[in-house]
Amino acid sequence: MRQQTSFLFDLDGTLVDSVYHHVMAWREALDAEGIELSVWRIHRKIGMSGGLFTNMLLRETGLDISDERVERLRRRHAEAYNRHSEQSVPLPGARELLAWLTEAGIPWAIATSGRMETARPVLENLGVDFDQVPVVTRDLVKYAKPDPDLFLAAAEKLGVPIERAHVVGDSVWDMLAAQRARALGIGFLSGGYGQDELERAGAYRVFEDPADMLLHIDEVGGRR
């Protein structure tokens, strides 16, 4: 009997072209707090947990950042991102890939390190049915990526063994979380990380975007 596979998708940069909107929203939030950080450094942190983001911010700026300031940064980022979330369109093939999996009876879920306040408009734009699709956001777990909690919770919601799941993401943080969860990692180039970076972090397959994955879906266990 063939073992059923399943897919646990990251959101930003994986299904939706939103990584750089998050980068600029963080830039706006940091500027409002008088914190200077190069855009490329912000980009390298998209997808990790807010706590790690803060730790790396401290290391790179040498600033003493209070809990109150961290919360202001988070709130300013959410406000800035939500103003532009309508520009965060699905990546090529995203809707088609999810529809194919649904029609094939292959379980899938979404696990994002974003909070629901920023993820909901993007998920709605993607056409996700909240009554049918398990969605795990940062609000629902203790730790975000590179900890495995998001993907473990998504697999539990699907009712599938994490060892049979594929974690699909665009960042090294997704791949590191996949390894720690004991899941296979599939990397996308659509978030700005290179193929070698994703492979070093644990990706066993790397595709350009959802459309490319759908074209090669049989290579990752996707069969009707």
Side-chain angles (χ1 to χ4, degrees):
M1 181 178 178
R2 184 170 68 89
Q3 293 184 341
Q4 173 100 59
T5 190
S6 58
F7 294 91
L8 311 175
F9 290 94
D10 172 52
L11 181 62
D12 297 301
T14 300
L15 295 173
V16 181
D17 193 9
S18 53
V19 166
Y20 296 99
H21 298 95
H22 275 292
V23 171
M24 298 315 296
W26 276 116
R27 174 65 180 271
E28 184 175 327
L30 291 166
D31 283 349
E33 287 290 318
I35 300 173
E36 293 185 6
L37 193 65
S38 300
V39 168
W40 75 269
R41 292 187 182 277
I42 299 172
H43 171 256
R44 305 296 293 184
K45 299 167 184 60
I46 297 299
M48 66 166 57
S49 74
L52 280 179
F53 183 99
T54 304
N55 289 340
M56 295 184 76
L57 189 63
L58 287 169
R59 282 201 299 270
E60 294 183 17
T61 62
L63 295 172
D64 181 15
I65 302 179
S66 65
D67 291 342
E68 292 78 13
R69 200 176 197 186
V70 169
E71 177 58 25
R72 284 202 309 273
L73 282 168
R74 188 199 65 78
R75 188 174 64 250
R76 289 181 188 275
H77 163 263
E79 292 170 353
Y81 180 74
N82 283 337
R83 287 199 304 272
H84 305 290
S85 61
E86 69 278 0
Q87 301 173 23
S88 300
V89 299
L91 282 158
R95 290 194 179 106
E96 292 81 359
L97 173 60
L98 299 180
W100 191 95
L101 295 174
T102 300
E103 291 171 8
I106 298 174
W108 60 275
I110 294 176
T112 173
S113 56
R115 296 178 183 273
M116 186 56 80
E117 64 182 316
T118 55
R120 179 175 289 277
V122 177
L123 290 163
E124 291 173 346
N125 193 19
L126 186 60
V128 171
D129 184 344
F130 289 88
D131 293 326
Q132 300 294 324
V133 179
V135 176
V136 180
T137 61
R138 178 66 182 87
D139 318 77
L140 302 178
V141 297
K142 184 174 183 180
Y143 298 112
K145 297 173 286 189
D147 284 277
D149 301 35
L150 284 164
F151 297 119
L152 292 171
E156 183 176 354
K157 277 179 171 285
L158 275 183
V160 301
I162 188 66
E163 295 85 358
R164 298 183 194 170
H166 294 75
V167 165
V168 187
D170 65 287
S171 74
V172 298
W173 314 112
D174 296 307
M175 298 303 101
L176 292 172
Q179 287 206 72
R180 295 177 71 180
R182 303 184 310 283
L184 291 170
I186 296 173
F188 283 178
L189 300 178
S190 45
Y193 279 92
Q195 180 169 341
D196 58 337
E197 293 178 289
L198 294 169
E199 289 177 342
R200 283 201 305 271
Y204 86 103
R205 286 289 185 277
V206 176
F207 301 110
E208 291 183 357
D209 55 18
D212 191 28
M213 176 174 160
L214 181 56
L215 187 64
H216 299 89
I217 192 67
D218 57 314
E219 296 179 13
V220 292
R223 297 180 179 84
R224 294 184 187 276

